[in-house]
Amino acid sequence: MAKIGIIGAGQVGSAAAYAMALQGAASDIILVDRDAALAEAQAEDIAHAIPFAPPATLRAGPFAALEGSDLVVLAAGVAQRPGESRLDLLSRNAEVFAAILAQIRAHAPDAILLIASNPVDIMTDVATRLSGLPPGRVIGSGTILDTARFRSLLGRHLGISPASVHAYVLGEHGDSEVLAWSNARAGSVPIRTFAAQVGAAITDDVMARIDEGVRRAAYRIIAGKGATWFGIGAGLSRIARAVLRDEQAVLSVSIQMPEVCGVRGATLSLPRVIGRAGVVADLMPELDAAEEKALAASARLLADLAGELRL
């Protein structure tokens, strides 16, 4: 059976462990944190939910406990200091990743890496460069959560299940992300056609409201409770299941790309086919001119920032 290691037992790491346990993503889940007492407490708390879930073992341990892991989630990082630049913060997080990746190479060299630490696209780029693994084996959670928010709001507007909405957020997990309206579908029907048929027209005002709802969701949640963790925890579990069950599922995740929209060196999200080997195919949606321009701008922003970071 599959084994998952999660490095970082804070809010995101513990939420991911909880979602993975409840959804039966793996039979063995290991929590690793520099604060061993925190990891132990989170593991014990989540283990008490296992009787209500598929059989699994959930425990805390040192890096050596990662041995045999099929997938390792990186949800660790350092907080920004007052007055610290984004680039300085990235440099310090790169140092943390270098130490973690050395431990993963020693104890779980065959594991696929799943990056959750923010800024996730840049940290996915860092992990790819430092690990030496092929890009398809270093997967950032990217816009999987933004895509879920997009589908949720569209489903609410149309009065249907979000599971019946097929729409993606592309590019950066951040302010430059691109909501791909032009290829959104409800079932097999273009979103505007479906909306007209059910009497829920997608006007400019509706688009603006949904765009703001997706793009500003994290800011609203952070203002209310300090951080986000449930949504991304479930998203990480979804990616883990796609990998470990070899689903060949299409999910919007971030990997390092040789080129996108004429921009080289960007790590960003597109719909991708994911299975036991990691990302096995990239899918470029058909975009309108404005969306393609916005995706190129997002790619340029990420490529420029990655280029400034010296590892």
Side-chain angles (χ1 to χ4, degrees):
M1 294 292 286
K3 179 176 180 179
I4 296 174
I6 300 175
I7 301 173
Q11 292 160 332
V12 170
S14 62
Y18 181 61
M20 291 171 182
L22 290 189
Q23 295 177 356
S27 58
D28 194 5
I29 302 171
I30 309 296
L31 276 173
V32 178
D33 197 282
R34 62 180 181 179
D35 184 342
L38 173 64
E40 289 283 356
Q42 297 280 38
E44 183 175 5
D45 191 14
I46 298 168
H48 296 161
I50 297 296
F52 309 109
T57 299
L58 199 148
R59 56 199 168 95
F63 279 108
L66 296 174
E67 185 173 351
S69 293
D70 301 288
L71 178 79
V72 175
V73 179
L74 278 73
V78 295
Q80 192 163 10
R81 296 167 176 165
E84 183 177 40
S85 72
R86 190 184 191 198
L87 191 59
D88 286 341
L89 173 62
L90 285 171
S91 296
R92 288 200 297 123
N93 267 317
E95 292 176 5
V96 171
F97 264 40
I100 290 172
L101 289 166
Q103 293 286 348
I104 295 173
R105 282 194 296 269
H107 300 293
D110 298 326
I112 288 176
L113 303 183
L114 177 52
I115 313 303
S117 304
N118 275 320
V120 67
D121 302 296
I122 299 301
M123 296 315 299
T124 302
D125 182 83
V126 166
T128 305
R129 290 157 66 184
L130 290 176
S131 69
L133 291 171
R137 294 183 65 83
V138 184
I139 305 170
S141 57
T143 60
I144 194 164
L145 179 54
D146 311 276
T147 290
R149 291 165 175 161
F150 190 21
R151 294 178 179 184
S152 177
L153 291 174
L154 275 172
R156 187 181 304 172
H157 174 71
L158 297 171
I160 61 173
S161 166
S164 295
V165 177
H166 307 287
Y168 292 94
V169 178
L170 316 175
E172 179 194 17
H173 171 57
D175 292 341
S176 74
E177 64 190 21
V178 181
L179 278 64
W181 286 93
S182 64
N183 56 66
R185 300 284 188 273
S188 62
V189 181
I191 205 76
R192 290 180 183 277
T193 303
F194 185 96
Q197 290 176 0
V198 298
I202 295 179
T203 64
D204 289 345
D205 286 345
V206 168
M207 291 178 66
R209 174 171 52 81
I210 291 177
D211 186 281
E212 193 274 342
V214 174
R215 203 175 295 276
R216 304 295 299 178
Y219 295 100
R220 290 192 302 275
I221 294 168
I222 290 168
K225 70 175 194 174
T228 67
W229 56 85
F230 292 124
I232 188 57
L236 292 167
S237 179
R238 179 68 190 94
I239 298 167
R241 287 185 289 124
V243 171
L244 298 178
R245 297 178 184 178
D246 196 22
E247 289 184 2
Q248 308 302 306
V250 178
L251 302 172
S252 55
V253 296
S254 182
I255 67 169
Q256 188 183 82
M257 300 189 66
E259 184 272 336
V260 61
C261 294
V263 178
R264 299 185 62 82
T267 297
L268 51 67
S269 288
L270 291 175
R272 295 189 157 98
V273 180
I274 302 175
R276 191 61 187 82
V279 171
V280 297
D282 301 323
L283 306 174
M284 175 57 77
E286 294 181 357
L287 304 175
D288 65 26
E291 291 166 348
E292 187 166 349
K293 182 179 179 180
L295 182 58
S298 186
R300 172 54 60 200
L301 181 153
L302 290 166
D304 287 349
L305 186 55
E308 293 178 29
L309 189 60
R310 297 290 177 257
L311 303 181

